[in-house]
Amino acid sequence: MSREIKIYDTTLRDGTQGEGVAFSMEDKVRIAQRLDALGIHYIEGGWPGSNPKDLRFFKRVQDAVFKTAKISAFGATRRPGVRPQDDANIQALVEAGPPVVTIFGKSWDFHVTAAIGTTLEENLAMIGDSVAYLLKHFEEVIYDAEHFFDGYKRNPEYALRTLLAAEAAGAHCLVLCDTNGGSLPHEIAEIVAHVKRTLKTGTPLGIHAHNDVECGVANSLTAVGQGIDHVQGTINGYGERCGNANLVSIIPNLMLKMGLECIPRSNLHELRDVSRFVSELANRKPWASQPYVGDSAFAHKGGIHVSAVLKHPETYEHTDPELVGNHRRVLVSELAGQSNILWKAREYGIDLDKNTPDARRILDMLKRLEDEGFQFEGAEASFELLMERALGNHRPYFDLDGYRVIVEENNGDDEEPVAEATVRLKVKGIPEHTAASGNGPVDALDHALRKALEDFYPSLKEMTLLDYKVRILDESKGTAAKTRVLITSGDGDETWGTVGVADNIIEASWQALVDSIEYKLRRDDKKGRR
Ligand SMILES: [Zn+2]
């Protein structure tokens, strides 16, 4: 087996320092279990001395079974002039009682004298005493050398002495931290190499990088390249300021690019799910361009490029997306050559052979519509209907005679303006004329349309509008500009997007509404229900 890199996750501690990231205690337990299932080696649960919620987490996980992961508590070395057994923070670590403890100490002489106001010698004693004391209570003691790289750049000799103090006391791993996240890969390489030469001991080293100059992942990999076998980071790179080193990129880089072992190979395909799971619980929107796992990470747009990807994926993809649980996407756009359409058509079960009149007709229609401002990314349902129309397979579910929308503002009255819509149409040859009010003109139109159709198509009652987005296409024209409306609808079973473009917002909304209803009815027909 090749070299194994231990992964130390600190999403639950350092990750929660990120703006807008907060987890309840139950969230933390669920994340810990998910990370354990992925095969992460260490999970840092929190800082029991700083936060009572964290202490409760450690009590809660004492009975939980973890297959791979060891739970770790985080804290500081003892305070100056206080014995470890008398230090409240250290006692909180002991009380938390997980198998592993990680304590951080100062490596930068300036921090010792200016921030904690003690002598350089006392700081070394604080490190040594704390490690030695904690070894009596824990299976493993990890020492985080805070501000190591910054300290080393100013006073290498003192920074190294702090590591030696932790090592002499028996720490199991010495983690070099780029706490301010400002170091570059070539500096990390030089300093790690120098530390290894100077220490000349067998104590494993680790790396804890932050992303302030966007080198969190690069610095972690560089350290591994220099022989470091313990990497700390967070899921999706959550963390203070610009975040921590992102484990969701580090793990596949180690395994797929550097040929090293870390989590079990059979679990690697869970990576995207884990990334989504944590962003869901953190209530953070997934990052579309996130390397390896983002929606756009393997999305292809250009025409020639797409035909190449379909023949030989390696031409435009650095790795197989399925390995990390992602998948290839082909986007429909004005750049589309025919192969995009064929791919998309195949996805929808419509069989089109290259260069057939059908394929050419769909392509022409698409180009004309995109010229007018239509965009089918996010509106796959409208694209599917477009293909049907181009193929002559489209069967309308109703014929519109006309609609009218009135918005009435009563002067001098505090109430909101009232919107009312009337719709005249024929369903199965029967004329219908309905009126409805609503919360704004589009809502009123939606109600009137449903009122006319629901008796004929009761399954429409299951359908709701989930999202409504408006984009003004040529902003320089002001109110005369074209408007694009994107609607997302759902029926509990599926969600789908539709689009409309017109000179006015009501007409654009109407188009997207009608597509949404047609899509729902057509899909129900295909399933043989309704
Ligand atoms: Zn950190």
Side-chain angles (χ1 to χ4, degrees), residues 328-375:
R328 178 174 309 130
R329 288 169 61 225
V330 173
L331 305 178
V332 180
S333 80
E334 68 267 354
L335 298 174
Q338 274 197 346
S339 45
N340 284 41
I341 306 302
L342 289 170
W343 177 268
K344 202 78 197 169
R346 233 181 283 157
E347 241 177 52
Y348 288 114
I350 296 172
D351 197 16
L352 288 175
D353 280 317
K354 210 168 183 171
N355 287 323
T356 60
D358 281 344
R360 277 197 298 275
R361 203 158 51 237
I362 289 179
L363 189 63
D364 288 347
M365 202 158 170
L366 185 66
K367 288 205 158 148
R368 182 172 51 75
L369 287 171
E370 291 200 325
D371 239 27
E372 287 173 24
F374 278 83
Q375 215 211 39

Short mmCIF file of all heavy atoms in Angstrom, two decimals, residues 328-375:
data_model
loop_
_atom_site.label_atom_id
_atom_site.label_comp_id
_atom_site.label_asym_id
_atom_site.label_seq_id
_atom_site.Cartn_x
_atom_site.Cartn_y
_atom_site.Cartn_z
N ARG A 328 -21.29 14.52 -15.46
CA ARG A 328 -21.10 15.44 -16.58
C ARG A 328 -22.44 16.07 -16.94
O ARG A 328 -23.47 15.42 -16.92
CB ARG A 328 -20.58 14.63 -17.77
CG ARG A 328 -20.37 15.42 -19.04
CD ARG A 328 -19.72 14.53 -20.08
NE ARG A 328 -18.56 13.88 -19.51
CZ ARG A 328 -18.33 12.57 -19.60
NH1 ARG A 328 -19.17 11.78 -20.22
NH2 ARG A 328 -17.26 12.06 -19.04
N ARG A 329 -22.41 17.37 -17.26
CA ARG A 329 -23.63 18.03 -17.73
C ARG A 329 -23.32 18.73 -19.04
O ARG A 329 -22.23 19.27 -19.21
CB ARG A 329 -24.10 19.08 -16.73
CG ARG A 329 -24.68 18.49 -15.46
CD ARG A 329 -24.89 19.56 -14.42
NE ARG A 329 -25.82 20.57 -14.87
CZ ARG A 329 -25.63 21.88 -14.74
NH1 ARG A 329 -24.53 22.33 -14.17
NH2 ARG A 329 -26.53 22.73 -15.15
N VAL A 330 -24.29 18.71 -19.93
CA VAL A 330 -24.13 19.45 -21.19
C VAL A 330 -25.17 20.56 -21.18
O VAL A 330 -26.35 20.31 -21.02
CB VAL A 330 -24.31 18.52 -22.39
CG1 VAL A 330 -24.32 19.33 -23.67
CG2 VAL A 330 -23.19 17.49 -22.42
N LEU A 331 -24.69 21.78 -21.28
CA LEU A 331 -25.59 22.92 -21.17
C LEU A 331 -26.11 23.31 -22.55
O LEU A 331 -25.37 23.30 -23.53
CB LEU A 331 -24.86 24.11 -20.56
CG LEU A 331 -24.20 23.84 -19.22
CD1 LEU A 331 -23.47 25.08 -18.74
CD2 LEU A 331 -25.23 23.42 -18.19
N VAL A 332 -27.38 23.67 -22.59
CA VAL A 332 -27.97 24.11 -23.83
C VAL A 332 -27.78 25.62 -23.91
O VAL A 332 -28.12 26.34 -23.00
CB VAL A 332 -29.48 23.80 -23.82
CG1 VAL A 332 -30.12 24.26 -25.11
CG2 VAL A 332 -29.69 22.33 -23.59
N SER A 333 -27.23 26.12 -24.99
CA SER A 333 -26.99 27.55 -25.06
C SER A 333 -26.78 27.96 -26.50
O SER A 333 -26.73 27.13 -27.39
CB SER A 333 -25.76 27.93 -24.26
OG SER A 333 -24.62 27.63 -25.04
N GLU A 334 -26.64 29.26 -26.70
CA GLU A 334 -26.46 29.73 -28.07
C GLU A 334 -25.14 29.23 -28.66
O GLU A 334 -24.94 29.29 -29.85
CB GLU A 334 -26.56 31.25 -28.16
CG GLU A 334 -25.43 32.03 -27.49
CD GLU A 334 -25.74 32.41 -26.06
OE1 GLU A 334 -26.87 32.17 -25.62
OE2 GLU A 334 -24.84 32.93 -25.39
N LEU A 335 -24.25 28.75 -27.82
CA LEU A 335 -22.99 28.21 -28.34
C LEU A 335 -23.18 26.78 -28.85
O LEU A 335 -22.27 26.18 -29.38
CB LEU A 335 -21.92 28.19 -27.25
CG LEU A 335 -21.52 29.53 -26.66
CD1 LEU A 335 -20.56 29.31 -25.50
CD2 LEU A 335 -20.85 30.39 -27.72
N ALA A 336 -24.40 26.26 -28.65
CA ALA A 336 -24.59 24.85 -28.91
C ALA A 336 -24.37 24.48 -30.36
O ALA A 336 -24.92 25.09 -31.26
CB ALA A 336 -26.01 24.46 -28.50
N GLY A 337 -23.57 23.48 -30.58
CA GLY A 337 -23.53 22.82 -31.87
C GLY A 337 -24.56 21.72 -31.81
O GLY A 337 -25.22 21.56 -30.79
N GLN A 338 -24.68 20.96 -32.87
CA GLN A 338 -25.73 19.95 -32.87
C GLN A 338 -25.55 18.89 -31.80
O GLN A 338 -26.52 18.34 -31.31
CB GLN A 338 -25.78 19.28 -34.23
CG GLN A 338 -26.64 20.06 -35.19
CD GLN A 338 -27.01 19.20 -36.36
OE1 GLN A 338 -26.43 18.13 -36.58
NE2 GLN A 338 -27.97 19.66 -37.12
N SER A 339 -24.31 18.62 -31.42
CA SER A 339 -24.13 17.51 -30.49
C SER A 339 -24.74 17.80 -29.12
O SER A 339 -25.21 16.89 -28.45
CB SER A 339 -22.65 17.16 -30.36
OG SER A 339 -21.90 18.33 -30.23
N ASN A 340 -24.78 19.09 -28.73
CA ASN A 340 -25.46 19.44 -27.47
C ASN A 340 -26.92 19.01 -27.52
O ASN A 340 -27.45 18.45 -26.58
CB ASN A 340 -25.49 20.95 -27.26
CG ASN A 340 -24.17 21.48 -26.82
OD1 ASN A 340 -23.16 21.04 -27.34
ND2 ASN A 340 -24.18 22.38 -25.87
N ILE A 341 -27.54 19.35 -28.65
CA ILE A 341 -28.96 19.07 -28.80
C ILE A 341 -29.20 17.57 -28.79
O ILE A 341 -30.12 17.08 -28.13
CB ILE A 341 -29.47 19.63 -30.16
CG1 ILE A 341 -29.13 21.09 -30.29
CG2 ILE A 341 -30.94 19.38 -30.34
CD1 ILE A 341 -29.69 21.94 -29.19
N LEU A 342 -28.32 16.86 -29.47
CA LEU A 342 -28.49 15.40 -29.52
C LEU A 342 -28.38 14.82 -28.12
O LEU A 342 -29.15 13.96 -27.72
CB LEU A 342 -27.41 14.78 -30.42
CG LEU A 342 -27.62 15.07 -31.90
CD1 LEU A 342 -26.39 14.63 -32.68
CD2 LEU A 342 -28.86 14.35 -32.42
N TRP A 343 -27.40 15.34 -27.39
CA TRP A 343 -27.18 14.85 -26.03
C TRP A 343 -28.40 15.13 -25.16
O TRP A 343 -28.91 14.28 -24.46
CB TRP A 343 -25.94 15.55 -25.48
CG TRP A 343 -25.63 15.20 -24.07
CD1 TRP A 343 -26.05 15.85 -22.95
CD2 TRP A 343 -24.85 14.10 -23.64
NE1 TRP A 343 -25.56 15.23 -21.84
CE2 TRP A 343 -24.82 14.15 -22.22
CE3 TRP A 343 -24.17 13.07 -24.29
CZ2 TRP A 343 -24.14 13.21 -21.47
CZ3 TRP A 343 -23.49 12.14 -23.53
CH2 TRP A 343 -23.48 12.21 -22.14
N LYS A 344 -28.85 16.36 -25.24
CA LYS A 344 -30.00 16.78 -24.44
C LYS A 344 -31.25 16.00 -24.87
O LYS A 344 -32.02 15.55 -24.04
CB LYS A 344 -30.23 18.29 -24.66
CG LYS A 344 -30.98 18.95 -23.56
CD LYS A 344 -30.08 19.19 -22.38
CE LYS A 344 -30.92 19.47 -21.14
NZ LYS A 344 -30.12 19.45 -19.93
N ALA A 345 -31.40 15.86 -26.20
CA ALA A 345 -32.56 15.14 -26.71
C ALA A 345 -32.54 13.70 -26.21
O ALA A 345 -33.55 13.16 -25.79
CB ALA A 345 -32.56 15.17 -28.24
N ARG A 346 -31.38 13.10 -26.21
CA ARG A 346 -31.24 11.73 -25.72
C ARG A 346 -31.63 11.64 -24.25
O ARG A 346 -32.30 10.71 -23.83
CB ARG A 346 -29.78 11.28 -25.88
CG ARG A 346 -29.63 9.98 -26.63
CD ARG A 346 -28.17 9.59 -26.73
NE ARG A 346 -27.45 10.34 -27.74
CZ ARG A 346 -26.12 10.51 -27.72
NH1 ARG A 346 -25.38 10.03 -26.73
NH2 ARG A 346 -25.53 11.19 -28.67
N GLU A 347 -31.22 12.67 -23.48
CA GLU A 347 -31.58 12.72 -22.07
C GLU A 347 -33.09 12.67 -21.88
O GLU A 347 -33.59 12.14 -20.92
CB GLU A 347 -31.07 14.03 -21.47
CG GLU A 347 -30.07 13.87 -20.37
CD GLU A 347 -29.58 15.23 -19.88
OE1 GLU A 347 -30.43 16.09 -19.56
OE2 GLU A 347 -28.35 15.43 -19.85
N TYR A 348 -33.83 13.29 -22.82
CA TYR A 348 -35.29 13.34 -22.71
C TYR A 348 -35.96 12.21 -23.48
O TYR A 348 -37.17 12.23 -23.67
CB TYR A 348 -35.80 14.69 -23.22
CG TYR A 348 -35.47 15.81 -22.26
CD1 TYR A 348 -34.61 16.82 -22.60
CD2 TYR A 348 -36.04 15.82 -20.99
CE1 TYR A 348 -34.30 17.84 -21.72
CE2 TYR A 348 -35.74 16.82 -20.09
CZ TYR A 348 -34.87 17.83 -20.47
OH TYR A 348 -34.58 18.82 -19.59
N GLY A 349 -35.18 11.29 -24.00
CA GLY A 349 -35.75 10.15 -24.68
C GLY A 349 -36.28 10.46 -26.07
O GLY A 349 -37.10 9.73 -26.60
N ILE A 350 -35.85 11.58 -26.65
CA ILE A 350 -36.25 11.88 -28.03
C ILE A 350 -35.07 11.50 -28.92
O ILE A 350 -33.96 11.97 -28.73
CB ILE A 350 -36.61 13.37 -28.19
CG1 ILE A 350 -37.84 13.68 -27.34
CG2 ILE A 350 -36.88 13.70 -29.66
CD1 ILE A 350 -38.20 15.13 -27.27
N ASP A 351 -35.35 10.62 -29.87
CA ASP A 351 -34.25 10.08 -30.68
C ASP A 351 -34.02 10.94 -31.91
O ASP A 351 -34.86 11.05 -32.79
CB ASP A 351 -34.62 8.65 -31.07
CG ASP A 351 -33.39 7.90 -31.53
OD1 ASP A 351 -32.27 8.38 -31.27
OD2 ASP A 351 -33.56 6.85 -32.17
N LEU A 352 -32.89 11.56 -31.97
CA LEU A 352 -32.55 12.41 -33.11
C LEU A 352 -31.22 11.94 -33.66
O LEU A 352 -30.26 11.84 -32.93
CB LEU A 352 -32.38 13.86 -32.65
CG LEU A 352 -33.61 14.65 -32.26
CD1 LEU A 352 -33.18 15.99 -31.72
CD2 LEU A 352 -34.53 14.81 -33.44
N ASP A 353 -31.18 11.69 -34.95
CA ASP A 353 -29.88 11.34 -35.53
C ASP A 353 -29.23 12.60 -36.05
O ASP A 353 -29.88 13.54 -36.47
CB ASP A 353 -30.05 10.33 -36.66
CG ASP A 353 -30.22 8.94 -36.11
OD1 ASP A 353 -29.48 8.58 -35.16
OD2 ASP A 353 -31.12 8.23 -36.60
N LYS A 354 -27.95 12.60 -35.99
CA LYS A 354 -27.21 13.78 -36.42
C LYS A 354 -27.56 14.14 -37.86
O LYS A 354 -27.71 13.27 -38.69
CB LYS A 354 -25.71 13.50 -36.30
CG LYS A 354 -24.96 14.76 -36.03
CD LYS A 354 -23.53 14.45 -35.63
CE LYS A 354 -22.85 15.76 -35.29
NZ LYS A 354 -21.55 15.56 -34.70
N ASN A 355 -27.67 15.45 -38.11
CA ASN A 355 -27.92 15.97 -39.46
C ASN A 355 -29.26 15.58 -40.06
O ASN A 355 -29.46 15.71 -41.26
CB ASN A 355 -26.81 15.54 -40.42
CG ASN A 355 -25.55 16.34 -40.14
OD1 ASN A 355 -25.64 17.52 -39.81
ND2 ASN A 355 -24.41 15.69 -40.24
N THR A 356 -30.16 15.11 -39.25
CA THR A 356 -31.51 14.87 -39.79
C THR A 356 -32.20 16.22 -39.87
O THR A 356 -31.80 17.18 -39.20
CB THR A 356 -32.33 13.97 -38.85
OG1 THR A 356 -32.42 14.65 -37.59
CG2 THR A 356 -31.69 12.62 -38.68
N PRO A 357 -33.25 16.31 -40.67
CA PRO A 357 -34.01 17.57 -40.72
C PRO A 357 -34.54 17.96 -39.35
O PRO A 357 -34.58 19.14 -39.00
CB PRO A 357 -35.16 17.25 -41.69
CG PRO A 357 -34.72 16.07 -42.47
CD PRO A 357 -33.76 15.30 -41.62
N ASP A 358 -34.92 16.96 -38.54
CA ASP A 358 -35.44 17.26 -37.19
C ASP A 358 -34.38 17.97 -36.35
O ASP A 358 -34.65 18.97 -35.70
CB ASP A 358 -35.83 15.97 -36.47
CG ASP A 358 -37.18 15.44 -36.94
OD1 ASP A 358 -37.91 16.24 -37.58
OD2 ASP A 358 -37.47 14.27 -36.67
N ALA A 359 -33.19 17.41 -36.37
CA ALA A 359 -32.12 17.99 -35.56
C ALA A 359 -31.83 19.41 -36.03
O ALA A 359 -31.65 20.32 -35.22
CB ALA A 359 -30.87 17.13 -35.66
N ARG A 360 -31.83 19.59 -37.35
CA ARG A 360 -31.55 20.94 -37.89
C ARG A 360 -32.65 21.91 -37.52
O ARG A 360 -32.41 23.06 -37.19
CB ARG A 360 -31.37 20.88 -39.41
CG ARG A 360 -29.94 20.46 -39.81
CD ARG A 360 -29.67 20.80 -41.27
NE ARG A 360 -30.58 20.09 -42.17
CZ ARG A 360 -30.36 18.84 -42.61
NH1 ARG A 360 -29.28 18.19 -42.24
NH2 ARG A 360 -31.23 18.26 -43.42
N ARG A 361 -33.91 21.42 -37.54
CA ARG A 361 -35.04 22.29 -37.21
C ARG A 361 -34.96 22.73 -35.74
O ARG A 361 -35.17 23.90 -35.42
CB ARG A 361 -36.35 21.55 -37.48
CG ARG A 361 -37.52 22.49 -37.71
CD ARG A 361 -38.66 21.86 -38.49
NE ARG A 361 -39.07 20.58 -37.93
CZ ARG A 361 -39.08 19.44 -38.62
NH1 ARG A 361 -38.69 19.41 -39.87
NH2 ARG A 361 -39.46 18.31 -38.05
N ILE A 362 -34.65 21.78 -34.86
CA ILE A 362 -34.55 22.14 -33.44
C ILE A 362 -33.42 23.15 -33.23
O ILE A 362 -33.58 24.14 -32.52
CB ILE A 362 -34.34 20.89 -32.56
CG1 ILE A 362 -35.64 20.09 -32.53
CG2 ILE A 362 -33.92 21.27 -31.15
CD1 ILE A 362 -35.57 18.82 -31.72
N LEU A 363 -32.32 22.92 -33.90
CA LEU A 363 -31.18 23.81 -33.75
C LEU A 363 -31.51 25.22 -34.24
O LEU A 363 -31.20 26.22 -33.57
CB LEU A 363 -29.99 23.25 -34.52
CG LEU A 363 -28.67 23.96 -34.27
CD1 LEU A 363 -28.25 23.84 -32.82
CD2 LEU A 363 -27.57 23.39 -35.17
N ASP A 364 -32.19 25.31 -35.40
CA ASP A 364 -32.57 26.62 -35.94
C ASP A 364 -33.51 27.35 -34.99
O ASP A 364 -33.38 28.54 -34.74
CB ASP A 364 -33.26 26.47 -37.30
CG ASP A 364 -32.26 26.07 -38.38
OD1 ASP A 364 -31.03 26.18 -38.09
OD2 ASP A 364 -32.68 25.65 -39.47
N MET A 365 -34.48 26.60 -34.47
CA MET A 365 -35.46 27.19 -33.58
C MET A 365 -34.78 27.71 -32.31
O MET A 365 -35.05 28.80 -31.83
CB MET A 365 -36.47 26.10 -33.20
CG MET A 365 -37.79 26.62 -32.73
SD MET A 365 -38.97 25.28 -32.99
CE MET A 365 -40.36 25.90 -32.13
N LEU A 366 -33.86 26.89 -31.83
CA LEU A 366 -33.14 27.25 -30.61
C LEU A 366 -32.33 28.53 -30.81
O LEU A 366 -32.34 29.44 -29.99
CB LEU A 366 -32.22 26.09 -30.23
CG LEU A 366 -31.46 26.21 -28.93
CD1 LEU A 366 -32.43 26.19 -27.77
CD2 LEU A 366 -30.48 25.06 -28.79
N LYS A 367 -31.65 28.61 -31.96
CA LYS A 367 -30.81 29.78 -32.22
C LYS A 367 -31.67 31.03 -32.33
O LYS A 367 -31.30 32.09 -31.82
CB LYS A 367 -29.97 29.57 -33.48
CG LYS A 367 -28.88 28.55 -33.20
CD LYS A 367 -27.67 28.68 -34.10
CE LYS A 367 -26.48 28.03 -33.42
NZ LYS A 367 -25.52 27.45 -34.35
N ARG A 368 -32.82 30.89 -33.00
CA ARG A 368 -33.70 32.04 -33.16
C ARG A 368 -34.21 32.51 -31.79
O ARG A 368 -34.19 33.69 -31.47
CB ARG A 368 -34.88 31.67 -34.08
CG ARG A 368 -35.83 32.81 -34.37
CD ARG A 368 -36.86 32.43 -35.45
NE ARG A 368 -37.56 31.17 -35.18
CZ ARG A 368 -38.52 31.01 -34.28
NH1 ARG A 368 -38.90 32.03 -33.52
NH2 ARG A 368 -39.10 29.84 -34.11
N LEU A 369 -34.64 31.55 -30.96
CA LEU A 369 -35.18 31.91 -29.64
C LEU A 369 -34.10 32.52 -28.74
O LEU A 369 -34.36 33.47 -28.01
CB LEU A 369 -35.78 30.68 -28.97
CG LEU A 369 -37.11 30.22 -29.59
CD1 LEU A 369 -37.51 28.87 -29.01
CD2 LEU A 369 -38.21 31.25 -29.33
N GLU A 370 -32.90 31.97 -28.81
CA GLU A 370 -31.84 32.51 -27.96
C GLU A 370 -31.47 33.93 -28.40
O GLU A 370 -31.11 34.77 -27.59
CB GLU A 370 -30.64 31.58 -27.92
CG GLU A 370 -31.00 30.31 -27.17
CD GLU A 370 -29.81 29.52 -26.66
OE1 GLU A 370 -28.80 29.50 -27.36
OE2 GLU A 370 -29.92 28.93 -25.58
N ASP A 371 -31.61 34.16 -29.70
CA ASP A 371 -31.43 35.51 -30.24
C ASP A 371 -32.42 36.48 -29.63
O ASP A 371 -32.12 37.64 -29.36
CB ASP A 371 -31.71 35.45 -31.75
CG ASP A 371 -30.51 35.90 -32.52
OD1 ASP A 371 -29.39 35.74 -31.98
OD2 ASP A 371 -30.69 36.42 -33.63
N GLU A 372 -33.64 35.99 -29.41
CA GLU A 372 -34.67 36.85 -28.82
C GLU A 372 -34.49 37.02 -27.32
O GLU A 372 -35.20 37.81 -26.71
CB GLU A 372 -36.06 36.23 -29.07
CG GLU A 372 -36.52 36.34 -30.50
CD GLU A 372 -37.82 35.56 -30.73
OE1 GLU A 372 -38.56 35.32 -29.75
OE2 GLU A 372 -38.05 35.17 -31.88
N GLY A 373 -33.60 36.25 -26.74
CA GLY A 373 -33.35 36.41 -25.31
C GLY A 373 -33.74 35.21 -24.47
O GLY A 373 -33.63 35.23 -23.25
N PHE A 374 -34.23 34.14 -25.11
CA PHE A 374 -34.55 32.94 -24.34
C PHE A 374 -33.25 32.30 -23.87
O PHE A 374 -32.22 32.42 -24.53
CB PHE A 374 -35.30 31.92 -25.21
CG PHE A 374 -36.76 32.20 -25.30
CD1 PHE A 374 -37.25 33.12 -26.23
CD2 PHE A 374 -37.65 31.55 -24.47
CE1 PHE A 374 -38.60 33.39 -26.31
CE2 PHE A 374 -39.01 31.80 -24.55
CZ PHE A 374 -39.49 32.73 -25.47
N GLN A 375 -33.34 31.62 -22.76
CA GLN A 375 -32.18 30.91 -22.27
C GLN A 375 -32.70 29.66 -21.61
O GLN A 375 -33.61 29.74 -20.78
CB GLN A 375 -31.46 31.79 -21.25
CG GLN A 375 -29.98 31.62 -21.30
CD GLN A 375 -29.39 31.83 -19.94
OE1 GLN A 375 -29.96 31.42 -18.94
NE2 GLN A 375 -28.24 32.45 -19.91
#
